[in-house]
């Protein structure tokens, strides 16, 4: 949607699209966060996580769900950048986020001894930093698109259009994570060592 409007040089509609995107997806993320934090233990039990790691896994999952909102904000910012034809800034922010995540992992786990909680908080703080950096760069680099958040500025026509265009990508993500969950539930039957190996391999593949 942003790319179409950018090509048409419709600055006002781009600003409205950005506002609509952030408000809608932020509210959606907050709802998902609440559901995730409450249901984390239930979900892990259902996919067969062994009892000896259930407590740590629950805490990790709850912390990760707390970071849903900055993650969504970061993804929306990336989509906006690509919509206006700038793929360089998302790449720079991604490299920064990855390096920061590694540094925080070492700090929280090796230095502060926070264990699994440290890994989760390192991930969230890296996502928060990447979102704030993306947002700050956008504000400085594209002053014509600056905006203020207000519920009255949500344009439901634009939201409907975004949902229609984004539906295939949403379905792809749903199928991917659905498949991942099925695979994880199978891996969980083989014990903690296999789960750890699968988690490491998955993280490497994700990068």
């Amino acid at each position: 949607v942003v790319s179409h409007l950018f090509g048409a040089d419709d600055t006002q509609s781009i600003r409205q699209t950005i506002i609509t995107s952030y408000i809608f997806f932020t509210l959606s993320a907050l709802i998902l966060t609440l559901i995730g934090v409450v249901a984390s233990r239930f979900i892990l039990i259902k996919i067969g996580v062994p009892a000896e790691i259930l407590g740590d896994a629950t805490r990790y999952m709850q912390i990760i769900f707390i970071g849903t909102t900055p993650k969504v904000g970061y993804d929306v910012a990336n989509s906006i950048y690509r919509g206006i034809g700038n793929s360089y800034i998302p790449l720079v922010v991604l490299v920064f986020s990855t390096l920061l995540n590694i540094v925080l992992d070492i700090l929280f786990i090796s230095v502060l001894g926070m264990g699994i909680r440290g890994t989760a908080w390192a991930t969230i703080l890296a996502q928060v930093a990447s979102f704030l950096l993306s947002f700050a760069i956008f504000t400085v680099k594209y002053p014509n698109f600056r905006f203020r958040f207000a519920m009255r500025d949500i344009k439901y026509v634009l939201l409907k259009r975004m949902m229609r265009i984004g539906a295939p990508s949403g379905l792809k993500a749903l199928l991917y994570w659905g498949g991942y969950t099925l695979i994880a539930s199978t891996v969980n039957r083989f014990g903690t060592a296999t789960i750890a190996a699968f988690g490491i391999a998955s993280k490497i593949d994700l990068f």
Side-chain angles (χ1 to χ4, degrees):
V1 175
V2 172
S3 60
H4 293 166
L5 297 173
F6 187 71
D9 197 26
D10 190 346
T11 302
Q12 178 62 25
S13 293
I14 292 175
R15 193 179 295 113
Q16 291 173 340
T17 301
I18 294 172
I19 294 171
T20 300
S21 298
Y22 269 116
I23 292 178
F24 174 76
F25 288 111
T26 298
L27 290 175
S28 300
L30 290 173
I31 294 172
L32 181 60
T33 297
L34 180 60
I35 295 173
V37 170
V38 173
S40 290
R41 186 178 181 87
F42 173 79
I43 294 171
L44 293 172
I45 291 173
K46 285 299 181 181
I47 64 173
V49 172
E52 59 266 32
I53 63 170
L54 182 59
D56 285 338
T58 300
R59 284 187 288 273
Y60 177 86
M61 192 170 181
Q62 288 174 333
I63 295 171
I64 291 298
F65 269 115
I66 291 173
T68 301
T69 301
K71 176 65 169 65
V72 168
Y74 170 69
D75 290 340
V76 171
N78 277 351
S79 298
I80 293 169
Y81 276 120
R82 293 190 175 94
I84 58 180
N86 190 331
S87 59
Y88 175 73
I89 291 176
L91 176 61
V92 171
V93 174
L94 176 62
V95 172
F96 165 77
S97 174
T98 302
L99 293 176
L100 179 61
N101 199 343
I102 293 171
V103 171
L104 291 176
D105 274 336
I106 295 172
L107 174 64
F108 290 162
I109 297 173
S110 300
V111 179
L112 300 179
M114 294 175 64
I116 192 70
R117 292 184 298 108
T119 303
W121 282 117
T123 300
I124 288 178
L125 291 176
Q127 289 172 348
V128 170
S130 60
F131 165 61
L132 293 177
L133 179 61
S134 295
F135 194 82
I137 293 174
F138 183 84
T139 302
V140 173
K141 189 173 179 62
Y142 301 101
N144 291 340
F145 300 143
R146 288 178 182 173
F147 58 90
R148 294 180 179 178
F149 291 107
M151 291 297 294
R152 66 176 181 276
D153 290 325
I154 293 181
K155 301 300 178 183
Y156 293 99
V157 173
L158 291 172
L159 178 59
K160 184 178 178 180
R161 187 178 175 188
M162 284 188 290
M163 298 297 288
R164 186 179 71 251
I165 294 175
S169 296
L171 179 60
K172 176 185 175 182
L174 181 63
L175 292 174
Y176 175 84
W177 288 111
Y180 180 89
T181 302
L182 289 174
I183 294 172
S185 64
T186 302
V187 171
N188 290 340
R189 301 173 187 172
F190 295 95
T192 56
T194 305
I195 293 172
F198 177 72
I200 294 171
S202 298
K203 196 155 191 176
I204 293 173
D205 179 65
L206 192 61
F207 280 112

